[in-house]
Amino acid sequence: MADVKLAIIYYSSTGTIHKMAERLHEAGQKAGAEVRLRQVAELAPQEAIASNAAWSQHFDRTKDEPKATADDVVWADAVLFGSPTRYGNIASQLKQFLDTLGPQWAQGLLADKAYAGFTASQTAHGGQESTLLALYNTIHHFGGVVVAPGYTDPLKFADGNPYGVSHVTGGSNDAPVTDAELAALDHMAQRIIRIAGKLKSE
């Protein structure tokens, strides 16, 4: 699978999605893919960021990390998009990035790639599934291939999300990612690389 290119493109406000993205990056490299880890640009006003200590700290820690561009999606054979849940939908920061891909979409440069997603919310029924399904609406328009993990491994019965991988941050918004979720992230990375390799070889 050394010839598979994986892009992990995410938005994270307080760091949970960032940690999940880093795990996917590690898993992708272990699976033999060439991996790009890219954060989408922050759009929120400075006063909003400053009003939340965790948000402000994460912004400062990651402000110099590479930012996602359209080329990262075009370059990739497989793309994993990550976003916290915002009212059952993806965050506006990731949506804005997706909305800038019109020129690449019009040229067919986003089609025939493997895509999947990951998310997090404060509560167990806080819109995780609808967030991933909303993300996949965009993938359908791309002409992409949704490679959701389903229940393709027994470990998916532990993390329980066939649509992607998700985490509950809890009321304090700082619950650590569990071992079951880490295993699910590893599985999703391995699976999308394997499927992307098959798509690429056809």
Side-chain angles (χ1 to χ4, degrees), residues 2-191:
D3 61 340
V4 172
K5 298 173 182 176
L6 172 65
I8 302 162
I9 297 174
Y10 73 96
Y11 171 71
S12 183
S13 55
T14 59
T16 298
I17 298 295
H18 175 79
K19 291 173 186 173
M20 296 172 77
E22 288 185 317
R23 179 68 176 218
L24 288 165
H25 180 258
E26 180 183 338
Q29 288 183 320
K30 285 182 179 178
E34 183 180 351
V35 187
R36 288 185 186 178
L37 180 63
R38 298 289 188 266
Q39 180 186 58
V40 299
E42 179 61 81
L43 302 176
Q46 192 58 46
E47 57 267 26
I49 299 170
S51 70
N52 182 316
W55 192 357
S56 181
Q57 291 164 12
H58 181 69
F59 176 79
D60 288 339
R61 280 196 306 267
T62 62
K63 63 184 177 183
D64 295 325
E65 290 192 0
K67 297 298 182 282
T69 68
D71 177 67
D72 295 315
V73 184
V74 173
W75 166 87
D77 303 304
V79 184
L80 291 169
F81 285 118
S83 171
T85 290
R86 294 290 185 263
Y87 307 116
N89 209 327
I90 61 174
S92 59
Q93 290 86 345
L94 179 61
K95 183 62 166 63
Q96 192 272 347
F97 172 76
L98 295 173
D99 287 348
T100 67
L101 300 178
Q104 292 74 30
W105 165 79
Q107 297 173 66
L109 298 176
L110 310 179
D112 303 330
K113 302 174 186 290
Y115 295 88
F118 56 105
T119 189
S121 63
Q122 281 191 305
T123 59
H125 301 286
Q128 294 178 348
E129 293 178 0
S130 64
T131 295
L132 294 171
L133 291 170
L135 169 65
Y136 296 157
N137 286 337
T138 298
I139 306 312
H140 295 313
H141 282 258
F142 285 177
V145 179
V146 175
V147 185
Y151 292 101
T152 53
D153 187 283
L155 63 81
K156 290 302 297 178
F157 288 94
D159 92 294
N161 189 337
Y163 303 97
V165 179
S166 57
H167 169 67
V168 178
T169 62
S172 58
N173 210 32
D174 60 359
V177 178
T178 67
D179 288 343
E181 291 159 355
L182 292 172
L185 289 165
D186 292 347
H187 172 66
M188 185 165 69
Q190 293 159 6
R191 175 173 158 76

